[in-house]
Amino acid sequence: MARHIVAAPTPDILHQLTSRITTPGTWLKLCAPAEAVVPHLPPSWRIQEPEFMMTTTRLPRTARPSAPAGYTAAVTTRAGVTVARLLTSAGEVAARGQFAPAGRTAVVDQVETATRHRRRGLGTVIMRTLASAAASAGARQGILVATADGRALYETLGWTLHTPMTAVVLTGP
């Protein structure tokens, strides 16, 4: 599976990409609202739920937050990617997220909380853990792509909307 991020998706760029990409399961992440790009996509591209590119310039170098009662925090770094997880006493992943540095920017990705562990503040703990680790590693700003639910969380943590995103996936030839 490949993902391509297109910062300024013009009709010409969309035509070039969609005529050259032939592998089903390939994603385009387009920095534009759906109404600006949908008219320029062939029918074989399926539109996903709206997403939002968000940024922050507040990555405070603070102590890592404690795991809530009943959970254990695990933070690992491998090949430059830092992963934060909150585990149950049975070892189940209740929440997770990761970041990779790009210069002084932390690119946050794959933040999620398991369905039965939602509404317990675990996403906030993961995000604060990632922010602390990123700041300690020298990052001064962060960027991520959020779902609508994620956007609400990130806004409470001081992240701001940079641009709406439209994600599309090639479903067939």
Side-chain angles (χ1 to χ4, degrees):
M1 171 177 76
R3 291 189 290 177
H4 305 275
I5 298 174
V6 183
T10 65
D12 185 50
I13 289 171
L14 290 173
H15 174 72
Q16 288 178 35
L17 285 171
T18 59
S19 62
R20 290 182 185 158
I21 295 172
T22 60
T23 306
T26 300
W27 289 78
L28 298 178
K29 299 277 193 152
L30 309 167
C31 296
E35 58 270 12
V37 297
V38 169
H40 309 288
L41 295 172
S44 57
W45 290 85
R46 188 177 72 227
I47 300 158
Q48 304 299 299
E49 293 293 319
E51 295 181 339
F52 309 90
M53 182 178 287
M54 302 187 74
T55 60
T56 187
T57 56
R58 290 187 259 167
L59 291 175
R61 192 179 294 191
T62 60
R64 202 165 56 183
S66 300
Y71 298 95
T72 302
V75 179
T76 58
T77 301
R78 184 173 179 190
V81 177
T82 298
V83 178
R85 295 183 315 272
L86 289 172
L87 307 171
T88 66
S89 58
E92 171 191 10
V93 177
R96 71 167 315 279
Q98 64 188 34
F99 81 88
R104 290 183 147 305
T105 302
V107 181
V108 178
D109 190 30
Q110 298 182 6
V111 177
E112 59 185 321
T113 301
T115 303
R116 65 180 190 213
H117 295 279
R118 292 186 180 156
R119 303 288 177 229
R120 299 180 190 178
L122 303 185
T124 297
V125 172
I126 290 294
M127 286 302 294
R128 288 188 173 148
T129 300
L130 292 173
S132 175
S136 294
R140 295 295 166 254
Q141 57 200 17
I143 189 167
L144 58 78
V145 175
T147 62
D149 287 342
R151 178 182 177 181
L153 166 65
Y154 306 132
E155 285 176 339
T156 66
L157 297 173
W159 291 67
T160 58
L161 177 65
H162 179 71
T163 185
M165 300 282 296
T166 302
V168 297
V169 63
L170 181 61
T171 57

